[in-house]
Amino acid sequence: MFSFDLMFQPLKRYFDFQGRSRRSEYWLFYLFQLVVSLSLSLLQGVGGLVAGLVAGINFIFALGILIPSIAVGVRRFHDTNRTGLWLLFYPAVMIVSLILTLVFARDAVAQMGQNFQNLDPSSLESGDPQANLAVYSAMAPIALYVLLPTWLASLVTLWFHVQDGTPNANRFGADPKGRGVTESVVSTF
C-alpha cells in the first residue's frame, strides 16, 4: 500500500530511535531515497557546471537522510523484536573479515599487491582481456575472504527487514499496524 505519509514518516521522526516502524514505512523511504539519488545522478550526467552543482546537492541530500535512514532501520529491527544493534552487523562482519584477511591471508594480500604492480595500465585501458583477467585473479582473495562474508551478512539483514513485524506489542512498543488491540478487547468479554 503506497502512502506518501508513510514514505516521509522517517523524516518526521528524524532523530527517533525508539519504537517500531512497519515494513511499508521502511521500504517506501528507501524508494524515496532511490528515486532522488537516481534523478540527481542522471542530472549529474549532463556534465559541465550542472554536474558540480548536482554533485553538491547529492552530497547534502545523502548527509541529510543519513540519520533518518539509520533511525528507521533501527525501528524496523525493533518491529521484528530485534535490537537496533543488528544495524551494525553488516559493517562489523566487513571489518572483521577484512582484519582476518590481512592477518591470516597476508601472503595472498601480498601476492595481490605484487600482481597489481606487474599490470600494465595501458593494457587495462585498451580493454585487453588478459589484463582484465589478471585484475580479477589478483582480487580473488579479497573477494573470497571479505566480500563473500559481507554479502552473506547483507542477506541476513535483508531477511530481517522483509519479515513482518511481531503482532501485538513487543519490548520496543505497540504494533504500528494496530494488531492485537481488538483481540485484547474481545478477550475481556
Side-chain angles (χ1 to χ4, degrees):
M1 170 174 92
F2 186 83
S3 167
F4 280 107
D5 185 45
L6 280 176
M7 180 181 275
F8 298 113
Q9 187 72 23
L11 294 174
K12 294 175 187 172
R13 298 173 69 184
Y14 202 89
F15 284 105
D16 186 8
F17 292 88
Q18 304 298 318
R20 298 166 60 175
S21 287
R22 54 196 301 181
R23 278 185 297 192
S24 53
E25 177 184 342
Y26 177 82
W27 289 110
L28 286 173
F29 186 62
Y30 183 76
L31 176 67
F32 163 69
Q33 293 176 46
L34 184 68
V35 167
V36 170
S37 294
L38 285 176
S39 301
L40 290 173
S41 294
L42 287 174
L43 282 173
Q44 194 173 352
V46 170
L49 183 61
V50 174
L53 179 65
V54 173
I57 292 170
N58 200 0
F59 180 72
I60 291 169
F61 174 73
L63 283 179
I65 63 169
L66 179 64
I67 299 297
S69 296
I70 294 170
V72 76
V74 166
R75 292 192 310 268
R76 182 69 202 117
F77 279 119
H78 288 176
D79 192 38
T80 60
N81 205 21
R82 291 179 177 83
T83 178
L85 292 175
W86 270 100
L87 202 62
L88 299 174
F89 180 64
Y90 173 81
V93 167
M94 182 174 20
I95 290 168
V96 167
S97 61
L98 183 63
I99 290 170
L100 289 175
T101 300
L102 293 174
V103 170
F104 293 112
R106 277 184 291 200
D107 295 337
V109 172
Q111 183 64 40
M112 181 181 69
Q114 185 66 33
N115 289 346
F116 276 124
Q117 286 180 347
N118 294 338
L119 288 175
D120 180 24
S122 62
S123 64
L124 286 173
E125 292 171 4
S126 68
D128 180 23
Q130 293 296 330
N132 288 336
L133 182 62
V135 168
Y136 295 138
S137 298
M139 292 175 48
I142 296 296
L144 181 63
Y145 301 130
V146 178
L147 297 180
L148 182 63
T150 55
W151 179 73
L152 292 172
S154 69
L155 287 180
V156 169
T157 56
L158 175 68
W159 173 251
F160 290 158
H161 282 309
V162 298
Q163 285 183 329
D164 192 18
T166 55
N168 302 323
N170 66 17
R171 61 187 170 142
F172 299 105
D175 186 0
K177 292 182 178 179
R179 296 174 295 189
V181 176
T182 57
E183 290 103 13
S184 63
V185 171
V186 171
S187 67
T188 58
F189 293 105

